[in-house]
Amino acid sequence: GAGVSQSPRYKVAKRGQDVALRCDPISGHVSLFWYQQALGQGPEFLTYFQNEAQLDKSGLPSDRFFAERPEGSVSTLKIQRTQQEDSAVYLCASSLDLAIITYNEQFFGPGTRLTVL
Amino acid sequence: GIQVEQSPPDLILQEGANSTLRCNFSDSVNNLQWFHQNPWGQLINLFYIPSGTKQNGRLSATTVATERYSLLYISSSQTTDSGVYFCAVEDPSGTYKYIFGTGTRLKVLA
């Protein structure tokens, strides 16, 4: 596709439910990032993939958060047993192969707004 | 970790006015981007500018990496320029993630 796409755009979950958020990166982009943006703040890093390898997950706030990218393209961020503090916008970004070049321009999707009741 | 500070935090302009947004960062960085987050939440790439000066229409940006700051200039502002402007720098620890500043919230009045 022309840009990064994410689905769903909006998700309402009851506390304790599991959710799955999807990201389709720009075609040919090897590097993929997830960020979390709380209301009124800048995005904060969650995790990073190079192809299918998850190279950095230091930003995941708890073991309830899990991300995968099994075929090196589409990625899914899963949150288990959602809590109210998980309410935020979840942004996905992609860029070229950062293992080869230092040109790290990241392009962001529209985000998924998660509300946990 | 690296700190990224933006100023001013809020800015109100009359349509047609010019403005300068500033981004200071506390450590050397290899990459820097400016984004505009529109009222629908989409982050739009304005500039990828680790150093030097770039211009795109009414917008221009300058990064002085040795002095650890970047500036975004908006000339002849329009109501569609409203939104939040973020500066983001690549974490110097080498993990390629971006650290975002606190943002400048801009409102342009007709």
Side-chain angles (χ1 to χ4, degrees):
Chain A
V4 179
S5 61
Q6 292 185 245
S7 60
R9 292 293 314 279
Y10 303 91
K11 178 69 179 178
V12 179
K14 292 183 179 179
R15 190 171 53 187
Q17 284 184 331
D18 298 349
V19 299
L21 314 179
R22 177 187 169 104
C23 171
D24 281 89
I26 292 172
S27 178
H29 277 194
V30 170
S31 303
L32 185 145
F33 301 79
W34 284 97
Y35 292 82
Q36 179 190 59
Q37 186 174 21
L39 191 63
Q41 300 187 16
E44 293 188 352
F45 170 80
L46 293 177
T47 187
Y48 159 57
F49 289 86
Q50 186 75 4
N51 291 302
E52 70 279 3
Q54 188 175 21
L55 299 185
D56 186 351
K57 53 181 181 180
S58 62
L60 296 176
S62 77
D63 58 8
R64 296 185 296 102
F65 287 70
F66 172 77
E68 60 183 6
R69 195 185 184 198
E71 297 179 1
S73 179
V74 170
S75 177
T76 304
L77 177 67
K78 298 179 179 178
I79 309 174
Q80 298 176 324
R81 303 181 304 282
T82 53
Q83 304 295 313
Q84 284 188 322
E85 62 262 28
D86 300 336
S87 295
V89 176
Y90 290 86
L91 296 164
C92 177
S94 70
S95 67
L96 295 169
D97 191 341
L98 298 174
I100 298 174
I101 61 173
T102 60
Y103 188 90
N104 183 9
E105 183 176 12
Q106 296 185 16
F107 295 86
F108 282 77
T112 295
R113 182 177 298 276
L114 173 65
T115 303
V116 182
L117 303 177
Chain B
I2 189 170
Q3 302 298 312
V4 184
E5 296 181 353
Q6 292 184 241
S7 60
D10 295 281
L11 187 58
I12 300 176
L13 298 175
Q14 208 60 41
E15 199 169 28
N18 303 329
S19 62
T20 300
L21 282 57
R22 187 177 180 101
C23 172
N24 291 333
F25 40 96
S26 60
D27 201 349
S28 300
V29 298
N30 292 324
N31 290 298
L32 185 148
Q33 289 186 248
W34 281 97
F35 297 92
H36 174 214
Q37 189 162 43
N38 65 22
W40 296 270
Q42 176 72 55
L43 276 169
I44 299 165
N45 290 38
L46 297 178
F47 293 102
Y48 170 79
I49 186 165
S51 64
T53 297
K54 290 185 177 180
Q55 181 160 5
N56 184 2
R58 296 181 297 103
L59 302 182
S60 64
T62 295
T63 296
V64 184
T66 53
E67 296 187 21
R68 302 179 184 173
Y69 73 89
S70 184
L71 302 173
L72 177 69
Y73 306 94
I74 305 174
S75 64
S76 304
S77 57
Q78 301 176 357
T79 56
T80 52
D81 295 333
S82 296
V84 183
Y85 289 80
F86 286 106
C87 164
V89 302
E90 185 186 293
D91 187 341
S93 68
T95 58
Y96 307 121
K97 65 189 178 192
Y98 271 91
I99 308 298
F100 281 74
T102 48
T104 292
R105 185 173 301 274
L106 173 65
K107 188 175 180 71
V108 181
L109 304 176

